[in-house]
Amino acid sequence: MGKGTDKLYITHSEWASEDAYSASAGAGVAKSKGVNGAAFKRLPFNFCAVSLQPFSQPVCTAAGTIFDHTNILEWLKKHGTNPIDGKPLKSSELIKLHFAKNDDGEYVDPVTYKPLTDNTHIVALKNSGNAFSWDTVERLNIKAKNWRDLVSDDEFSRKDIVTLQDPQNLAARDLSSFKYIKDGTSTLTEEQEREREDPSNNVNLSAMGSSAKILRAKEAVAKAREERAANRNPNTSSTSKSLTHSSQSNGKPSSSTTTTRNTSRSVLPYNAALHTTGKAAASLTSTGLTPHTSADRATISDEDYMLKPRRIKQPGYARLQTSHGNLNIELHTEYAPRAVWNFVRLAQSGYYKGVQFHRNIRNFMLQGGDPTGTGRGGQSIWGKPFEDEYAQSPLAHKERGVLSMANKGKNTNTSQFFVTYRAARNLDRKHTIFGRAILDADSETGVESAETLKRMENAPTDADDSRPLEPGIEIEDVVVFVDPFEEFQRALREGRVPKDEDRGKSGGKHSRDEGDTAREEDVDTTWTGRRVQRGGGEAKHGDEGTAGGVGKYLEQSPGGLETTEGDGGGEVDDEFAIPEPPSKKRKAGGFGNFDAW
């Protein structure tokens, strides 16, 4: 079968040769002779014909060639011709196009909402610039003899229809036929050419790891030297500016320009998270995602950024207007911002108006905040429970008047809260403390709050469930005098971040003052990681047990009064208090000394 051999197959060289293995010619003949269209490359309809990139401000010529407005203006300033065919072209001859998009960001027909693809016959109207599918114009305009724009209702004629893409005429989108590509003419602007010639811009610093620190350090040193030299010789500032301008005009930017450009790249947004978006890992393991190579930082919402502990250090102030008097409270925004934000927003919305305190235990605490009055209800401003904030807080239930969140287990805070009548250190690390009652004897508000809290404690209650007897203790209103989040939100709306919290410049690290404060408060944790109380002794963590109603950890009050929640609501029941299980004896390993033998 082979040529001049007895082999029953054709070798690769024989099959690819020009002198044929078939009756007429071999497989390599078409390639060697250069058949027309062998190097055909099609330009997508949503790409600019000059930059060969997706357009953002599309315009077109009368022949239907689409450009990006910014790129074609730069070309016309240099050459004044059409880059496709080389004919003279003016900016006034360009037609501004309007493409419709759907919710997914795809270009669609504005009437049928069918996506426009590279195989769609696309036309535009000269007078309005609206782009349509040819099927829509043919069916609703031409055949119906309705010569009005289907979007703007402007009149048009058949001559106003411009073909942007015709699947039957691929030569108009053939890259190999573009004149500026055949001539090898560059389409870059002067600024783009300077950036391309700068070697520092061709380095991906985010992918260099620790080596990127060296390059940034060199740039910082060079910038510092230039600033020192400028300060020593102030008379040469004008000369240096002229030299910088001349170097940029020659296509070689100065080092200061390079440093500024690279520094702006390394600046993180104020709400940058400590983790990346995960797009690089996802695109590496999934073929259905677009490849992503940069390790971009993820961004958190403005609310999550604002509610980070120790970010807002201004305390808030509010007043609980109850049926037994006014209780003035101070809110600890610095250590429990999420709980304070929840309490303030619920109070400002009138959530606590008319709510009864459903649990009152003398010499222990007063609990309320449930609109149902059962101790099992309540909802946060997010519509779901939010997490505890006592992990990094130095606050403790060490005095009378502590305002804390009631819960039914870990990370189950809603709208319920309680006020202590005395120290309750057994509740530490179980409930988030977010405020205190102002009970200072040297101020009128403190005396008023102390009298109110005393009347609440002495109010008659039911002996079975510790519920206040009629008419009960009612919250008439909660008035917020100082909203600690107002100034921070105003700064975010105005586009500025508070000075101490600008993480874009500090790289996400705490300021010096914040770090010193955190170190002073870490004295409660030893070097081994054990938490100890300030007065000495190990901080005990209670057994979480099973989930009950709100008030799960309010089990043991100082003075020997046992309070358990029972089946729900943090209800008091001394009879059914669950005893602590006895500790198991540790079994001795090995055979022993054989004394029993």
Side-chain angles (χ1 to χ4, degrees):
M1 184 175 180
K3 185 169 58 177
T5 64
D6 294 333
K7 294 182 293 186
L8 299 179
Y9 60 89
I10 299 175
T11 63
H12 178 271
S13 58
E14 293 173 343
W15 183 87
S17 62
E18 298 182 17
D19 50 341
Y21 66 88
S22 63
S24 57
V29 173
K31 183 176 180 181
S32 61
K33 293 183 179 180
V35 178
N36 293 334
F40 173 77
K41 291 183 180 180
R42 181 179 182 178
L43 181 68
F45 79 94
N46 60 332
F47 275 52
C48 171
V50 175
S51 64
L52 305 183
Q53 298 294 325
F55 55 68
S56 57
Q57 300 176 353
V59 294
C60 74
T61 61
T65 306
I66 302 177
F67 303 101
D68 188 272
H69 189 251
T70 306
N71 298 323
I72 190 60
L73 286 183
E74 293 292 338
W75 174 273
L76 293 178
K77 288 180 182 179
K78 280 186 177 181
H79 309 281
T81 59
N82 190 329
I84 305 303
D85 53 15
K87 296 180 180 180
L89 180 65
K90 298 180 181 180
S91 58
S92 58
E93 300 175 2
L94 299 175
I95 304 170
K96 185 177 180 180
L97 299 178
H98 302 284
F99 282 90
K101 285 187 177 182
N102 58 13
D103 295 337
D104 297 332
E106 299 176 331
Y107 291 107
V108 296
D109 183 277
V111 178
T112 62
Y113 288 97
K114 290 184 178 180
L116 303 178
T117 64
D118 291 336
N119 298 319
T120 306
H121 191 171
I122 305 173
V123 296
L125 304 181
K126 282 184 180 180
N127 54 347
S128 64
N130 295 322
F132 299 92
S133 172
W134 166 253
D135 296 336
T136 301
V137 175
E138 184 183 24
R139 186 172 68 255
L140 301 180
N141 290 115
I142 299 176
K143 291 184 178 180
K145 296 182 180 180
N146 176 29
W147 298 102
R148 285 188 174 273
D149 194 316
L150 299 175
V151 176
S152 62
D153 201 33
D154 297 334
E155 291 187 3
F156 70 95
S157 62
R158 197 180 190 97
K159 296 179 180 180
D160 295 331
I161 301 177
V162 179
T163 301
L164 302 181
Q165 177 179 261
D166 186 2
Q168 305 300 326
N169 181 21
L170 298 180
R173 311 293 295 178
D174 185 8
L175 290 176
S176 60
S177 63
F178 291 176
K179 185 177 186 302
Y180 77 95
I181 294 180
K182 292 180 179 179
D183 299 342
T185 308
S186 175
T187 60
L188 299 177
T189 62
E190 294 181 359
E191 183 179 357
Q192 291 173 340
E193 291 177 355
R194 288 198 300 268
E195 290 183 359
R196 178 168 292 188
E197 292 176 1
D198 187 2
S200 61
N201 288 328
N202 298 327
V203 178
N204 186 5
L205 297 180
S206 61
M208 293 186 64
S210 59
S211 301
K213 297 180 180 179
I214 301 175
L215 295 180
R216 292 192 182 98
K218 288 184 177 180
E219 294 172 359
V221 170
K223 183 178 180 180
R225 288 177 178 173
E226 290 182 1
E227 291 178 353
R228 274 199 303 271
N231 294 333
R232 291 174 184 174
N233 303 319
N235 297 329
T236 60
S237 58
S238 59
T239 307
S240 62
K241 289 182 180 179
S242 61
L243 291 176
T244 303
H245 180 72
S246 62
S247 64
Q248 291 180 355
S249 61
N250 293 333
K252 298 179 180 180
S254 62
S255 60
S256 61
T257 306
T258 305
T259 305
T260 304
R261 189 184 300 122
N262 289 335
T263 304
S264 63
R265 287 184 179 180
S266 62
V267 173
L268 296 175
Y270 71 92
N271 57 344
L274 297 179
H275 57 277
T276 63
T277 57
K279 292 183 179 179
S283 62
L284 177 65
T285 57
S286 175
T287 57
L289 298 178
T290 304
H292 196 88
T293 57
S294 61
D296 299 330
R297 290 279 193 91
T299 56
I300 59 179
S301 63
D302 290 341
E303 184 182 69
D304 290 337
Y305 174 74
M306 178 181 65
L307 298 182
K308 182 179 179 181
R310 296 185 178 90
R311 175 143 289 152
I312 302 178
K313 299 184 180 181
Q314 178 186 0
Y317 293 94
R319 173 182 291 172
L320 269 70
Q321 298 177 356
T322 69
S323 57
H324 285 58
N326 295 331
L327 187 65
N328 300 293
I329 58 176
E330 179 185 1
L331 303 175
H332 303 314
T333 316
E334 182 177 0
Y335 303 112
R338 197 169 291 273
V340 174
W341 173 260
N342 177 68
F343 179 81
V344 169
R345 287 295 169 267
L346 290 178
Q348 291 176 342
S349 64
Y351 184 85
Y352 290 121
K353 286 185 178 180
V355 175
Q356 294 277 347
F357 284 96
H358 62 273
R359 193 178 182 199
N360 187 16
I361 305 176
R362 185 175 300 177
N363 203 29
F364 184 28
M365 63 89 204
L366 173 69
Q367 183 177 342
D370 178 13
T372 64
T374 60
R376 300 180 180 88
Q379 195 174 33
S380 68
I381 58 172
W382 298 281
K384 59 182 180 180
F386 60 94
E387 60 272 14
D388 299 319
E389 296 176 287
Y390 51 72
Q392 299 178 357
S393 175
L395 305 176
H397 300 81
K398 59 183 179 181
E399 58 184 353
R400 180 182 176 88
V402 174
L403 184 63
S404 188
M405 293 297 299
N407 58 44
K408 54 184 177 181
K410 186 177 180 181
N411 298 330
T412 57
N413 303 289
T414 53
S415 64
Q416 295 193 38
F417 59 90
F418 64 91
V419 183
T420 61
Y421 289 139
R422 57 165 297 173
R425 299 304 296 266
N426 60 312
L427 302 181
D428 293 347
R429 306 294 172 184
K430 300 175 185 176
H431 295 268
T432 300
I433 301 173
F434 68 97
R436 70 176 183 91
I438 302 176
L439 306 177
D440 303 332
D442 55 350
S443 63
E444 295 182 2
T445 56
V447 173
E448 180 185 17
S449 299
E451 292 295 331
T452 301
L453 196 60
K454 185 176 180 180
R455 286 193 293 267
M456 289 178 175
E457 185 177 9
N458 295 330
T461 58
D462 191 343
D464 294 333
D465 57 1
S466 300
R467 182 180 298 275
L469 298 177
E470 293 295 337
I473 306 174
E474 180 182 350
I475 302 177
E476 297 175 351
D477 196 6
V478 179
V479 181
V480 179
F481 294 119
V482 178
D483 186 354
F485 306 98
E486 186 175 358
E487 176 60 28
F488 195 93
Q489 288 181 314
R490 185 184 299 111
L492 291 182
R493 285 195 299 268
E494 294 175 357
R496 56 183 177 88
V497 183
K499 186 176 181 181
D500 294 337
E501 309 302 334
D502 195 351
R503 294 202 302 167
K505 297 179 181 179
S506 61
K509 297 181 179 179
H510 295 288
S511 62
R512 182 179 298 272
D513 296 337
E514 187 174 349
D516 295 341
T517 304
R519 284 191 292 271
E520 291 174 2
E521 293 165 356
D522 284 342
V523 295
D524 289 341
T525 305
T526 64
W527 66 275
T528 59
R530 176 181 297 178
R531 294 186 179 276
V532 294
Q533 299 175 358
R534 289 181 180 271
E538 183 179 354
K540 298 180 180 179
H541 294 259
D543 186 11
E544 292 184 2
T546 58
V550 176
K552 172 184 177 182
Y553 294 114
L554 306 182
E555 296 182 357
Q556 182 67 32
S557 65
L561 177 61
E562 295 183 359
T563 59
T564 60
E565 75 280 5
D567 293 335
E571 303 297 335
V572 178
D573 195 346
D574 297 348
E575 256 181 76
F576 302 98
I578 302 175
E580 185 178 354
S583 58
K584 296 181 180 180
K585 296 182 180 180
R586 185 178 181 182
K587 295 182 180 180
F591 291 99
N593 55 3
F594 301 98
D595 288 342
W597 286 41

